[in-house]
Amino acid sequence: GAGVSQSPRYKVAKRGQDVALRCDPISGHVSLFWYQQALGQGPEFLTYFQNEAQLDKSGLPSDRFFAERPEGSVSTLKIQRTQQEDSAVYLCASSSDRTLGSPLHFGNGTRLTVT
Amino acid sequence: EDQVTQSPEALRLQEGESSSLNCSYTVSGLRGLFWYRQDPGKGPEFLFTLYSAGEEKEKERLKATLTKKESFLHITAPKPEDSATYLCAVHSTQGGSEKLVFGKGTKLTVNP
C-alpha cells in the first residue's frame, strides 16, 4: 500500500513569508508526528497527534509554528513569517499504534529553504 | 533528559570490512530502542526495535545488540549498497507523550 506522502518535496520561501507543509499518513494510522531535521543532524521532535488531538507540541520552536490535523488524517504544518533558521527538512511519520509499539513510518520530507 | 549519542559521526569501510556503530543512551525506563537507516533525500527507514538488555536482532548483514547503556549495530562484510546514515532512537515519554528521541546518526560509506 501507499506510504506516508509529503508535499511539496521542496519549498523555497523568502524570509517573512508563510508556508504550509502537507502530510498524508498511511490510511488508518492513528498517530502522526512531525520532526525537523537540520543538515547533518538527527530528526528533532516537533509535535504529535493522536487522531485529531494534538497531544504534545513541546518541540515547536516558536509560536510561528502551528500544526493541525482536523479530521484525524491529513496534517498540515504551518510556519508563519519564516526565518533563515527555519531552513531544514520537515519529516512526517505515522504509526498504527498509540504507544509506539509499532514502528514509525516516515515520509521523504519537505526540504524548506528560506532565503 | 532523554538523550542519544552516536559514534563515530562518520565511518568509511572497504567492501567486506566488518565494523560496529555505537549508540549510547540515557532514558528514564527504556521502553524501546530503534535503529533506522536513512538514504540521502529520503525519510528514515525502520530496521530494528530492541526492548531489553541482551536482546539481539538480525537482518541480512546487520545485527543489533542492546545493553543497559548502549546499543551496537554490527555490519558484517558490508557492501556498497549498505552506504547510508544509520540513526538510533529511544522511546521517550518526556513532555507527557510518546515520541522517539534520535541521535545525530553515523554516516557509513562502503567503498567497492
Side-chain angles (χ1 to χ4, degrees):
Chain A
V4 177
S5 178
Q6 292 188 246
S7 61
R9 284 284 281 127
Y10 304 93
K11 177 69 179 177
V12 179
K14 291 187 177 178
R15 190 162 57 94
Q17 283 185 330
D18 298 348
V19 298
L21 313 180
R22 177 187 169 105
C23 172
D24 282 86
I26 294 172
S27 179
H29 277 196
V30 299
S31 295
L32 185 145
F33 297 80
W34 284 98
Y35 280 82
Q36 180 189 61
Q37 188 173 27
L39 191 63
Q41 303 294 310
E44 296 274 347
F45 171 80
L46 293 177
T47 188
Y48 164 59
F49 289 86
Q50 193 175 101
N51 295 308
E52 69 278 2
Q54 188 174 22
L55 298 187
D56 188 347
K57 53 182 180 180
S58 62
L60 296 176
S62 76
D63 58 8
R64 297 185 294 104
F65 287 71
F66 172 76
E68 60 183 6
R69 194 187 184 198
E71 297 178 358
S73 56
V74 171
S75 178
T76 304
L77 177 67
K78 297 179 180 178
I79 309 173
Q80 297 177 324
R81 304 181 304 282
T82 52
Q83 304 295 315
Q84 283 195 316
E85 60 263 28
D86 300 335
S87 296
V89 174
Y90 290 85
L91 295 166
C92 176
S94 70
S95 170
S96 60
D97 205 289
R98 288 178 170 80
T99 60
L100 288 181
S102 301
L104 292 189
H105 298 268
F106 282 85
N108 287 328
T110 294
R111 180 178 295 277
L112 173 65
T113 303
V114 181
T115 61
Chain B
E1 183 180 343
D2 297 344
Q3 284 189 332
V4 175
T5 302
Q6 292 188 246
S7 61
E9 289 185 10
L11 181 62
R12 283 188 175 273
L13 300 173
Q14 288 299 121
E15 185 172 2
E17 179 186 2
S18 301
S19 189
S20 297
L21 313 183
N22 177 265
C23 170
S24 299
Y25 64 90
T26 305
V27 66
S28 306
L30 182 66
R31 299 175 66 174
L33 184 139
F34 298 75
W35 282 98
Y36 280 81
R37 168 190 171 129
Q38 187 173 28
D39 292 296
K42 304 284 189 182
E45 177 186 347
F46 172 73
L47 292 173
F48 305 108
T49 310
L50 302 166
Y51 292 101
S52 57
E55 189 175 0
E56 298 183 353
K57 288 195 176 170
E58 286 188 67
K59 179 180 179 179
E60 297 181 358
R61 295 176 293 282
L62 300 177
K63 182 168 83 171
T65 62
L66 182 65
T67 73
K68 289 186 178 179
K69 299 270 189 201
E70 56 193 351
S71 177
F72 293 93
L73 185 65
H74 307 277
I75 303 176
T76 302
K79 298 182 177 182
E81 53 262 41
D82 295 322
S83 297
T85 295
Y86 291 86
L87 295 165
C88 174
V90 293
H91 181 169
S92 170
T93 55
Q94 263 181 206
S97 75
E98 319 228 355
K99 62 182 73 69
L100 293 188
V101 173
F102 283 87
K104 294 183 178 181
T106 293
K107 183 176 181 180
L108 175 66
T109 304
V110 182
N111 295 314

